[in-house]
Amino acid sequence: MLAGVTCCLLLPALPPAGLLVLLALAGLAVLLLPAWRPAGMLLLGVAFAGAHATVALAQQLPPALQGRLLQLQGQIVELPLHEPRRTRFRFRIDDAPGQPEALRGRTVQLAWYDDDPRPRERLQAGSRWSFPVRLRAPRGLRNPGGGDAEKFALAARTAGTGFIAAPILARRLASPSGLDAWREAMSARIGVAVPGPSSRYVRALALGDTRGLDALDWARLRAAGLTHLVAISGFHVGLVAGFCALPLAALWWLWPALGRRWPRPFAAGAGAVLGAFGYALLTGMAVPTLRTAVMIAVLVAARCLRRRLRLADALALGCGVLLLLDPLAVLGAGFWLSFVGVAWLLWCLPGGEERGVGAMLRGFLAAQAVASLGLLPLTVVLFGQASFAGPLANLAAVPWWSLVVVPLGLLGVLADTLQAGAGDPLWRMAAWCFDALWPLLARIADSPLAMAWLPAARWYALPLALLAAFWLLLPRGLPGRGLALLLWLPLLFPPRERPALGEVELTVIDVGQGLSVLVRTAHHALLYDMGPALPDGFDAGERAVVPALHALGVTRLDMAMISHGDNDHAGGRQAVAAAFPLPVVLAPAGSPAKGSAFCQAGQRWAWDDVRFRVLHPGRDFPYLGNEAACVLRIETDHGSALLAGDIGHYVERKLLAIDRAALRSDVVLVPHHGSAGSSDPGFVAATGARLAVVASGADNRFRHPRPQVVRRWCDNGAEVLDTARSGAVRVWLGRGRLRVREERAFHSRAWDAVRRRGETAGLCYAPEFSRP
């Protein structure tokens, strides 16, 4: 069933409804044949996942409501995230006649922007509100190594994303209520009881409230391989289940007569199941918690039915139940890490008869080794990184956090629930215990060898690496185990598709309404602009540019060029510089985004038989914002490219007058995102471009690129691609034909927003290009 669900969601397009019905009927028929039951379950898995995904996509915001002002009424679900200049939260719309019919009962992701945080503080989990909002269907950036926001929206059943259009008209209809309100109130009490910095970790470990963790905290947790502990894990659920089972078992022990009506093991099992599912509900129903709760329920049910059940069978049944509850859970990394991790442990560490502290220590060390080796392939594929410090940090953190910090935090929650203020000393003790170990873990995480970023691998790298892990974890004494290391090579050292000597590759990264272009030769890399960044908000440098550079195998930047100082071109600089030191930064004189040297017309250099030349601005040209943008020409023996920044008609005509021949290029970055004030007809004709790439954001308020500008380039024989439609665009100028790769087309997904909206990726195509 898992194979069928996964295969369906890997398809570039979902099967039509009629085919899904046929697959379901065929699966039911095949189930009647005992030898073919696995095939029947596979067909049912395909049909079941396809039906769920089709319904979830159909429930997303229809085009008719896109961008319209809507008055929505509903309840805040989950915990709102308060930031200095905005608050983000999930909002479930009422299923009532007064709401838009297409959105009744749906959940949307909203943001409230306001420099004053006081009005936003009233946004509490479980409270009911009425808002004027503007929505759009889920849509995100598409880059190598970047997250897929459209996939996450599908998995979370998010119908749309938007913002509060008029905060002054927002009205609170009812006070907080429900489990989410309880979680938020309890988290606030922990914050008051533990005023120190470790308060945010106590809240995360006890309640799953990670809102207090900042970017540095997450970076350290990833580097130390400890994110699985901060997220509420299955071990936490097991502790709570045990705490709930013990009182009932003790009650039956004190009053043996109760056993005549219901055996004591059954009562203890019922307490464990109630405790496990109750805690999973209180902490947000994450996949690891739900997996453990389901497995506990399966084991208790088997015992009540007096059936022998191996742990492996319980894991399989737990997986099956979760898939029946939500087949789209396989779209999340937590599903795979949770089930695959437990599967590795069950296979490699069967229960033994050894007892004592020494046996427990050996078992713990073996479990850490198995988990680290077995989950490494998944970690690299899912996150593009591997933590070499993870095994060492986990040796200290797993027993201390799980057996000391977490129980103290949970006991504090229980005590405070029974009597307000009773949990304060327990929470302070949990914070003290956390502080005792955290400095050591932070030092391990800050080590330069703690984290390794790996380039994106081919599809076959994961199965080969899993086979290698299986081979290495076979019993000792098996000959040839060392050969398994060869199977890791496609994952750890994938082909990077670097240009050969004398060739050049350009990657126009999808950063939304902004610009960032990676230029690579055989042994050098230049970054032209770094995307936008909003204060305390979206940072394209962190979210798009840096992951793309890692995924493309860039290990260093030899030069950066900031075309001009506007935020949509220079905003991501800080995030990029934190990941890749910038030895040389060129920027125009007078730019608010300073460089280490000026970008001036006449500058020339060569890398790996590729020639670079700055065409603008001249030495005496004043800084005029867009018109002062650096214009870079890249020349090879196989073709040339022109990066024109945000220049407009004035500079375009000036360049025509100075050196018309220098504008001749096979590939052109369309000036100023395709605005009406750029792409002068004479400039377009002078370039003679075969490919013109527009860098723009989807549904941007400037309406870039303008239709007349696109038509101008098309009429001059250029293929026009737009990052808003194509995602990241990779272009190779080499000995063969000019090659182009569009990220959305190259990694096509059934939930792709561009295709679902009926937009073709390219604005006009030139069929002679090779598309690898």
Side-chain angles (χ1 to χ4, degrees):
M1 185 175 184
L2 176 60
V5 169
T6 305
C7 289
C8 177
L9 296 176
L10 285 175
L11 294 173
L14 293 174
L19 181 56
L20 291 176
V21 172
L22 291 177
L23 289 174
L25 294 176
L28 291 173
V30 173
L31 283 178
L32 300 177
L33 306 174
W36 291 91
R37 282 177 182 167
M41 288 307 301
L42 186 144
L43 294 176
L44 285 175
V46 172
F48 191 57
H52 269 260
T54 300
V55 171
L57 290 173
Q59 291 178 344
Q60 291 185 354
L61 185 76
L65 298 181
Q66 183 99 355
R68 286 179 51 188
L69 185 64
L70 304 172
Q71 187 71 32
L72 301 182
Q73 180 177 306
Q75 185 177 36
I76 296 176
V77 296
E78 301 180 7
L79 303 183
L81 177 60
H82 296 285
E83 298 172 336
R85 290 180 174 85
R86 68 173 176 177
T87 296
R88 292 180 289 159
F89 57 97
R90 290 177 64 79
F91 190 67
R92 183 182 296 118
I93 302 166
D94 289 344
D95 190 1
Q99 301 303 296
E101 184 176 356
L103 293 174
R104 293 175 189 171
R106 310 283 187 258
T107 301
V108 294
Q109 181 77 36
L110 297 178
W112 179 327
Y113 293 91
D114 195 338
D115 290 339
D116 185 0
R118 287 172 297 180
R120 296 184 279 112
E121 290 173 355
R122 301 177 63 218
L123 293 171
Q124 296 172 300
S127 59
R128 291 180 46 76
W129 286 79
S130 176
F131 298 116
V133 305
R134 294 191 187 274
L135 295 175
R136 76 172 187 176
R139 185 158 178 172
L141 309 177
R142 287 292 299 275
N143 290 297
D148 189 342
E150 294 157 20
K151 178 181 73 172
F152 300 147
L154 172 62
R157 298 337 195 261
T158 301
T161 61
F163 61 94
I164 311 302
I168 195 171
L169 299 179
R171 293 185 298 113
R172 182 157 135 167
L173 306 177
S175 299
S177 61
L179 290 175
D180 289 327
W182 177 89
R183 283 182 68 202
E184 189 168 33
M186 187 63 67
S187 179
R189 288 206 284 272
I190 295 177
V192 172
V194 186
S198 53
S199 169
R200 61 189 188 275
Y201 279 98
V202 175
R203 283 177 281 167
L205 292 169
L207 296 168
D209 181 6
T210 59
R211 295 177 299 167
L213 303 180
D214 58 22
L216 178 59
D217 292 326
W218 284 114
R220 283 176 166 171
L221 289 169
R222 286 193 298 268
L226 299 175
T227 51
H228 65 102
L229 291 177
V230 173
I232 298 298
S233 69
F235 186 82
H236 301 165
V237 180
L239 285 175
V240 173
F243 285 147
C244 294
L246 285 176
L248 287 176
L251 185 65
W252 257 247
W253 181 77
L254 291 172
W255 284 277
L258 294 174
R260 297 175 183 172
R261 296 182 177 273
W262 206 20
R264 185 177 62 166
F266 293 2
V273 171
L274 290 175
F277 278 98
Y279 184 61
L281 282 170
L282 294 178
T283 53
M285 296 291 283
V287 169
T289 61
L290 193 57
R291 180 257 302 164
T292 305
V294 169
M295 288 183 64
I296 290 173
V298 168
L299 290 172
V300 169
R303 188 165 189 180
C304 291
L305 296 173
R306 293 175 171 81
R307 296 281 301 273
R308 288 180 60 88
L309 192 67
R310 300 174 302 164
L311 288 176
D313 297 328
L315 179 68
L317 283 173
C319 179
V321 170
L322 271 186
L323 290 175
L324 289 174
L325 292 174
D326 182 12
L328 302 186
V330 300
L331 296 176
F335 178 92
W336 296 101
L337 294 175
S338 177
F339 279 99
V340 173
V342 176
W344 275 120
L345 294 176
L346 292 179
W347 180 69
C348 295
L349 303 174
E353 301 297 327
E354 293 185 86
R355 296 290 185 270
V357 176
M360 291 178 60
L361 181 60
R362 286 193 296 274
F364 172 70
L365 294 175
Q368 287 301 311
V370 168
S372 299
L373 183 61
L375 292 179
L376 178 60
L378 277 176
T379 303
V380 172
V381 170
L382 292 172
F383 306 113
Q385 58 190 21
S387 173
F388 295 126
L392 178 62
N394 275 269
L395 286 177
V398 168
W400 187 249
W401 286 8
S402 299
L403 299 177
V404 179
V405 180
V406 171
L408 287 172
L410 294 178
L411 287 173
V413 170
L414 177 62
D416 202 83
T417 302
L418 298 175
Q419 175 63 47
D424 293 3
L426 291 168
W427 288 329
R428 285 193 284 268
M429 192 178 301
W432 183 86
C433 293
F434 176 85
D435 288 335
L437 184 62
W438 179 245
L440 174 62
L441 298 177
R443 175 173 289 187
I444 293 174
D446 292 339
S447 167
L449 300 178
M451 177 67 72
W453 291 92
L454 299 173
R458 302 292 177 85
W459 65 268
Y460 52 80
L462 178 59
L464 289 179
L466 289 173
L467 177 61
F470 173 82
W471 194 347
L472 289 170
L473 292 173
L474 288 172
R476 285 180 297 177
L478 187 75
R481 290 171 67 198
L483 296 176
L485 297 175
L486 297 176
L487 298 179
W488 287 95
L489 295 179
L491 182 70
L492 301 180
F493 302 98
R496 301 190 183 186
E497 299 181 292
R498 294 197 64 129
L501 199 67
E503 300 179 348
V504 68
E505 173 199 353
L506 292 87
T507 302
V508 184
I509 302 171
D510 184 9
V511 295
Q513 187 63 22
L515 178 64
S516 184
V517 184
L518 172 67
V519 182
R520 288 203 297 180
T521 64
H523 304 293
H524 293 81
L526 177 148
L527 187 64
Y528 183 92
D529 285 340
M530 304 169 195
L534 300 175
D536 306 304
F538 172 76
D539 186 337
E542 177 186 0
R543 301 282 297 278
V545 179
V546 170
L549 296 182
H550 285 309
L552 295 173
V554 176
T555 56
R556 76 177 194 279
L557 291 173
D558 299 283
M559 181 184 294
M561 181 176 288
I562 299 176
S563 65
H564 62 297
D566 286 1
N567 178 272
D568 59 332
H569 294 252
R573 176 179 181 172
Q574 184 175 355
V576 172
F580 295 89
L582 304 176
V584 179
V585 179
L586 299 182
S591 168
K594 304 298 182 183
S596 58
F598 293 143
C599 169
Q600 293 180 346
Q603 289 174 316
R604 299 170 182 263
W605 68 93
W607 288 340
D608 308 315
D609 294 338
V610 176
R611 300 170 295 281
F612 295 80
R613 176 184 171 191
V614 177
L615 302 182
H616 181 77
R619 182 178 300 274
D620 300 321
F621 195 89
Y623 183 76
L624 299 174
N626 291 345
E627 297 290 6
C630 300
V631 177
L632 180 65
R633 175 177 171 81
I634 305 164
E635 304 174 39
T636 75
D637 293 337
H638 316 288
S640 58
L642 185 69
L643 308 183
D646 277 2
I647 62 173
H649 289 161
Y650 172 77
V651 173
E652 290 171 346
R653 292 165 184 161
K654 180 174 181 291
L655 293 174
L656 274 171
I658 294 175
D659 189 354
R660 183 186 183 92
L663 300 179
R664 192 77 180 175
S665 302
D666 297 276
V667 181
V668 175
L669 185 69
V670 174
H672 200 195
H673 318 286
S675 73
S678 63
S679 297
D680 178 81
F683 176 85
V684 173
T687 63
R690 301 164 59 198
L691 175 65
V693 182
V694 181
S696 74
D699 304 315
N700 65 84
R701 60 191 177 94
F702 307 103
R703 293 181 291 136
H704 293 162
R706 293 302 180 99
Q708 65 270 29
V709 171
V710 173
R711 178 49 48 199
R712 196 174 299 152
W713 286 96
C714 293
D715 290 344
N716 276 272
E719 172 177 349
V720 181
L721 299 179
D722 182 5
T723 57
R725 297 166 177 250
S726 302
V729 178
R730 297 181 68 182
V731 184
W732 288 268
L733 282 170
R735 292 180 177 83
R737 302 168 65 187
L738 186 148
R739 295 190 299 150
V740 180
R741 177 181 298 171
E742 302 165 75
E743 185 66 19
R744 285 187 181 270
F746 187 68
H747 293 110
S748 183
R749 297 289 182 263
W751 49 84
D752 183 77
V754 171
R755 187 173 65 239
R756 292 185 60 245
R757 283 178 58 171
E759 300 174 352
T760 56
L763 298 168
C764 57
Y765 274 114
E768 75 270 15
F769 296 157
S770 171
R771 296 180 183 272

